[in-house]
Amino acid sequence: MSTRSTIAIKMDDGKYRAIYCHHDGYLEYNGEMLVNNYKTADRVNALLDLGDMSSLGSEPIGYWDDFKHDKTKCETYRERGEDGVDAMIFDNREDIMDYYSDTEYNYFFENGEWYYLENCSGDLVLKKVKEALGK
């Protein structure tokens, strides 16, 4: 079973750029990976440039290998040969959560900090990923 998530950045115009990530979306993996490895808008945008993915890695490098999982790279659908996987633009966080309604976690990079919302909770108050991880 997969823990699906979205990863987004708030842009200067107030809109959001977002991708889908199929596996390991829970705080202890994707949340930890984002906080530790994607600390600047440039790094986050490099990650989002890869498009939708199966699994998040520590570097914004796309690859695909059905038999070997490399946690330093992102397993991207583009590398698997899929089309229509580019990051999408949304007006607000709620639109992301509505569009990707089957995700459990939604991560947002805003003002140099990672936040999250859980789709199933109905709570729209942003929570800091670092605090949830006890950092």
PDB file of all heavy atoms in Angstrom, residues 2 7 10 15 19 21 24 27 31 41 48 50 79 91 96 101 103 106 116 120:
ATOM      1  N   SER A   2       0.440   2.276  -0.666  1.00  0.00           N
ATOM      2  CA  SER A   2       1.217   3.498  -0.822  1.00  0.00           C
ATOM      3  C   SER A   2       0.657   4.610   0.046  1.00  0.00           C
ATOM      4  O   SER A   2      -0.548   4.691   0.272  1.00  0.00           O
ATOM      5  CB  SER A   2       1.173   3.954  -2.267  1.00  0.00           C
ATOM      6  OG  SER A   2       1.697   2.954  -3.103  1.00  0.00           O
ATOM      7  N   ILE A   7       3.749  17.604  -3.354  1.00  0.00           N
ATOM      8  CA  ILE A   7       4.858  18.466  -2.959  1.00  0.00           C
ATOM      9  C   ILE A   7       4.681  19.753  -3.749  1.00  0.00           C
ATOM     10  O   ILE A   7       4.576  19.713  -4.982  1.00  0.00           O
ATOM     11  CB  ILE A   7       6.210  17.806  -3.275  1.00  0.00           C
ATOM     12  CG1 ILE A   7       6.331  16.466  -2.538  1.00  0.00           C
ATOM     13  CG2 ILE A   7       7.364  18.750  -2.912  1.00  0.00           C
ATOM     14  CD1 ILE A   7       7.487  15.598  -3.003  1.00  0.00           C
ATOM     15  N   LYS A  10       4.981  27.658  -2.882  1.00  0.00           N
ATOM     16  CA  LYS A  10       4.208  28.877  -3.096  1.00  0.00           C
ATOM     17  C   LYS A  10       5.071  29.826  -3.913  1.00  0.00           C
ATOM     18  O   LYS A  10       6.204  30.133  -3.552  1.00  0.00           O
ATOM     19  CB  LYS A  10       3.830  29.515  -1.763  1.00  0.00           C
ATOM     20  CG  LYS A  10       2.890  30.687  -1.913  1.00  0.00           C
ATOM     21  CD  LYS A  10       2.426  31.185  -0.568  1.00  0.00           C
ATOM     22  CE  LYS A  10       1.371  32.270  -0.730  1.00  0.00           C
ATOM     23  NZ  LYS A  10       0.904  32.734   0.601  1.00  0.00           N
ATOM     24  N   LYS A  15       0.330  31.838  -6.160  1.00  0.00           N
ATOM     25  CA  LYS A  15      -0.141  30.541  -6.639  1.00  0.00           C
ATOM     26  C   LYS A  15       0.856  29.464  -6.221  1.00  0.00           C
ATOM     27  O   LYS A  15       1.926  29.751  -5.705  1.00  0.00           O
ATOM     28  CB  LYS A  15      -0.312  30.558  -8.154  1.00  0.00           C
ATOM     29  CG  LYS A  15      -1.436  31.480  -8.597  1.00  0.00           C
ATOM     30  CD  LYS A  15      -1.655  31.423 -10.077  1.00  0.00           C
ATOM     31  CE  LYS A  15      -2.807  32.353 -10.450  1.00  0.00           C
ATOM     32  NZ  LYS A  15      -3.153  32.226 -11.859  1.00  0.00           N
ATOM     33  N   ILE A  19       3.544  18.824  -7.592  1.00  0.00           N
ATOM     34  CA  ILE A  19       3.672  17.501  -8.211  1.00  0.00           C
ATOM     35  C   ILE A  19       3.075  16.461  -7.271  1.00  0.00           C
ATOM     36  O   ILE A  19       2.861  16.714  -6.086  1.00  0.00           O
ATOM     37  CB  ILE A  19       5.136  17.128  -8.538  1.00  0.00           C
ATOM     38  CG1 ILE A  19       5.988  17.087  -7.266  1.00  0.00           C
ATOM     39  CG2 ILE A  19       5.707  18.064  -9.593  1.00  0.00           C
ATOM     40  CD1 ILE A  19       7.385  16.509  -7.460  1.00  0.00           C
ATOM     41  N   CYS A  21       3.499  12.553  -5.637  1.00  0.00           N
ATOM     42  CA  CYS A  21       4.472  11.507  -5.286  1.00  0.00           C
ATOM     43  C   CYS A  21       3.695  10.307  -4.742  1.00  0.00           C
ATOM     44  O   CYS A  21       2.950  10.437  -3.769  1.00  0.00           O
ATOM     45  CB  CYS A  21       5.469  12.031  -4.262  1.00  0.00           C
ATOM     46  SG  CYS A  21       6.761  10.829  -3.842  1.00  0.00           S
ATOM     47  N   ASP A  24       5.633   6.569   0.014  1.00  0.00           N
ATOM     48  CA  ASP A  24       6.338   7.045   1.213  1.00  0.00           C
ATOM     49  C   ASP A  24       6.029   8.497   1.576  1.00  0.00           C
ATOM     50  O   ASP A  24       6.891   9.217   2.064  1.00  0.00           O
ATOM     51  CB  ASP A  24       7.855   6.874   1.046  1.00  0.00           C
ATOM     52  CG  ASP A  24       8.247   5.437   0.786  1.00  0.00           C
ATOM     53  OD1 ASP A  24       7.649   4.537   1.418  1.00  0.00           O
ATOM     54  OD2 ASP A  24       9.133   5.199  -0.049  1.00  0.00           O
ATOM     55  N   LEU A  27       5.248  11.578   7.061  1.00  0.00           N
ATOM     56  CA  LEU A  27       6.199  12.563   7.596  1.00  0.00           C
ATOM     57  C   LEU A  27       7.600  12.001   7.790  1.00  0.00           C
ATOM     58  O   LEU A  27       8.589  12.676   7.511  1.00  0.00           O
ATOM     59  CB  LEU A  27       5.688  13.118   8.924  1.00  0.00           C
ATOM     60  CG  LEU A  27       4.515  14.080   8.818  1.00  0.00           C
ATOM     61  CD1 LEU A  27       3.836  14.254  10.167  1.00  0.00           C
ATOM     62  CD2 LEU A  27       4.973  15.410   8.261  1.00  0.00           C
ATOM     63  N   GLY A  31       8.481  13.811   4.475  1.00  0.00           N
ATOM     64  CA  GLY A  31       8.654  15.014   5.295  1.00  0.00           C
ATOM     65  C   GLY A  31      10.101  15.204   5.702  1.00  0.00           C
ATOM     66  O   GLY A  31      10.672  16.289   5.542  1.00  0.00           O
ATOM     67  N   ALA A  41      14.328  27.514  -2.300  1.00  0.00           N
ATOM     68  CA  ALA A  41      13.371  27.530  -3.412  1.00  0.00           C
ATOM     69  C   ALA A  41      13.995  26.956  -4.680  1.00  0.00           C
ATOM     70  O   ALA A  41      13.316  26.260  -5.444  1.00  0.00           O
ATOM     71  CB  ALA A  41      12.866  28.950  -3.647  1.00  0.00           C
ATOM     72  N   LEU A  48      10.629  19.925  -8.457  1.00  0.00           N
ATOM     73  CA  LEU A  48       9.352  20.012  -9.168  1.00  0.00           C
ATOM     74  C   LEU A  48       9.534  19.935 -10.680  1.00  0.00           C
ATOM     75  O   LEU A  48       8.640  19.470 -11.390  1.00  0.00           O
ATOM     76  CB  LEU A  48       8.620  21.296  -8.785  1.00  0.00           C
ATOM     77  CG  LEU A  48       8.232  21.424  -7.307  1.00  0.00           C
ATOM     78  CD1 LEU A  48       7.529  22.744  -7.053  1.00  0.00           C
ATOM     79  CD2 LEU A  48       7.403  20.264  -6.834  1.00  0.00           C
ATOM     80  N   LEU A  50      11.197  17.850 -12.165  1.00  0.00           N
ATOM     81  CA  LEU A  50      11.199  16.427 -12.525  1.00  0.00           C
ATOM     82  C   LEU A  50       9.793  15.912 -12.819  1.00  0.00           C
ATOM     83  O   LEU A  50       9.630  14.891 -13.465  1.00  0.00           O
ATOM     84  CB  LEU A  50      11.817  15.590 -11.406  1.00  0.00           C
ATOM     85  CG  LEU A  50      13.270  15.874 -11.064  1.00  0.00           C
ATOM     86  CD1 LEU A  50      13.694  15.063  -9.845  1.00  0.00           C
ATOM     87  CD2 LEU A  50      14.177  15.597 -12.250  1.00  0.00           C
ATOM     88  N   GLU A  79      10.989   9.503 -16.516  1.00  0.00           N
ATOM     89  CA  GLU A  79      12.061   8.552 -16.823  1.00  0.00           C
ATOM     90  C   GLU A  79      11.496   7.178 -17.185  1.00  0.00           C
ATOM     91  O   GLU A  79      12.164   6.390 -17.834  1.00  0.00           O
ATOM     92  CB  GLU A  79      13.040   8.437 -15.661  1.00  0.00           C
ATOM     93  CG  GLU A  79      13.829   9.702 -15.382  1.00  0.00           C
ATOM     94  CD  GLU A  79      14.724  10.107 -16.535  1.00  0.00           C
ATOM     95  OE1 GLU A  79      15.315   9.226 -17.193  1.00  0.00           O
ATOM     96  OE2 GLU A  79      14.826  11.319 -16.795  1.00  0.00           O
ATOM     97  N   ASP A  91      -4.283  27.705  -7.865  1.00  0.00           N
ATOM     98  CA  ASP A  91      -4.526  29.011  -7.248  1.00  0.00           C
ATOM     99  C   ASP A  91      -4.270  29.016  -5.747  1.00  0.00           C
ATOM    100  O   ASP A  91      -3.886  30.035  -5.186  1.00  0.00           O
ATOM    101  CB  ASP A  91      -5.967  29.470  -7.506  1.00  0.00           C
ATOM    102  CG  ASP A  91      -6.190  29.881  -8.956  1.00  0.00           C
ATOM    103  OD1 ASP A  91      -5.211  30.299  -9.615  1.00  0.00           O
ATOM    104  OD2 ASP A  91      -7.336  29.778  -9.424  1.00  0.00           O
ATOM    105  N   ILE A  96      -5.143  22.207  -4.705  1.00  0.00           N
ATOM    106  CA  ILE A  96      -4.219  21.064  -4.815  1.00  0.00           C
ATOM    107  C   ILE A  96      -4.828  19.850  -4.136  1.00  0.00           C
ATOM    108  O   ILE A  96      -4.863  18.754  -4.691  1.00  0.00           O
ATOM    109  CB  ILE A  96      -2.854  21.400  -4.177  1.00  0.00           C
ATOM    110  CG1 ILE A  96      -2.160  22.524  -4.942  1.00  0.00           C
ATOM    111  CG2 ILE A  96      -1.964  20.151  -4.126  1.00  0.00           C
ATOM    112  CD1 ILE A  96      -0.931  23.079  -4.237  1.00  0.00           C
ATOM    113  N   SER A 101      -7.215  14.372  -4.517  1.00  0.00           N
ATOM    114  CA  SER A 101      -8.034  14.053  -3.348  1.00  0.00           C
ATOM    115  C   SER A 101      -7.678  12.732  -2.679  1.00  0.00           C
ATOM    116  O   SER A 101      -8.070  12.491  -1.538  1.00  0.00           O
ATOM    117  CB  SER A 101      -9.514  14.051  -3.724  1.00  0.00           C
ATOM    118  OG  SER A 101      -9.764  13.058  -4.708  1.00  0.00           O
ATOM    119  N   THR A 103      -4.625  11.803  -1.893  1.00  0.00           N
ATOM    120  CA  THR A 103      -3.348  11.895  -1.181  1.00  0.00           C
ATOM    121  C   THR A 103      -3.595  11.976   0.318  1.00  0.00           C
ATOM    122  O   THR A 103      -4.594  12.531   0.773  1.00  0.00           O
ATOM    123  CB  THR A 103      -2.532  13.129  -1.617  1.00  0.00           C
ATOM    124  OG1 THR A 103      -3.297  14.306  -1.382  1.00  0.00           O
ATOM    125  CG2 THR A 103      -2.128  13.037  -3.073  1.00  0.00           C
ATOM    126  N   ASN A 106       0.113  16.487   2.148  1.00  0.00           N
ATOM    127  CA  ASN A 106       0.362  17.553   1.189  1.00  0.00           C
ATOM    128  C   ASN A 106       1.414  18.470   1.796  1.00  0.00           C
ATOM    129  O   ASN A 106       1.202  19.044   2.868  1.00  0.00           O
ATOM    130  CB  ASN A 106      -0.925  18.328   0.909  1.00  0.00           C
ATOM    131  CG  ASN A 106      -2.005  17.407   0.374  1.00  0.00           C
ATOM    132  OD1 ASN A 106      -2.050  17.114  -0.800  1.00  0.00           O
ATOM    133  ND2 ASN A 106      -2.848  16.903   1.270  1.00  0.00           N
ATOM    134  N   TYR A 116       2.809  21.112   6.209  1.00  0.00           N
ATOM    135  CA  TYR A 116       2.002  20.032   5.646  1.00  0.00           C
ATOM    136  C   TYR A 116       0.559  20.137   6.106  1.00  0.00           C
ATOM    137  O   TYR A 116       0.242  20.776   7.115  1.00  0.00           O
ATOM    138  CB  TYR A 116       2.570  18.660   6.025  1.00  0.00           C
ATOM    139  CG  TYR A 116       2.317  18.246   7.450  1.00  0.00           C
ATOM    140  CD1 TYR A 116       1.274  17.371   7.771  1.00  0.00           C
ATOM    141  CD2 TYR A 116       3.108  18.711   8.493  1.00  0.00           C
ATOM    142  CE1 TYR A 116       1.036  16.991   9.080  1.00  0.00           C
ATOM    143  CE2 TYR A 116       2.881  18.328   9.796  1.00  0.00           C
ATOM    144  CZ  TYR A 116       1.842  17.477  10.090  1.00  0.00           C
ATOM    145  OH  TYR A 116       1.611  17.103  11.389  1.00  0.00           O
ATOM    146  N   CYS A 120      -7.094  13.760   4.938  1.00  0.00           N
ATOM    147  CA  CYS A 120      -8.160  13.060   5.654  1.00  0.00           C
ATOM    148  C   CYS A 120      -8.615  13.803   6.910  1.00  0.00           C
ATOM    149  O   CYS A 120      -9.682  13.524   7.433  1.00  0.00           O
ATOM    150  CB  CYS A 120      -7.720  11.649   6.014  1.00  0.00           C
ATOM    151  SG  CYS A 120      -6.244  11.598   7.047  1.00  0.00           S
TER     152      CYS A 120
END
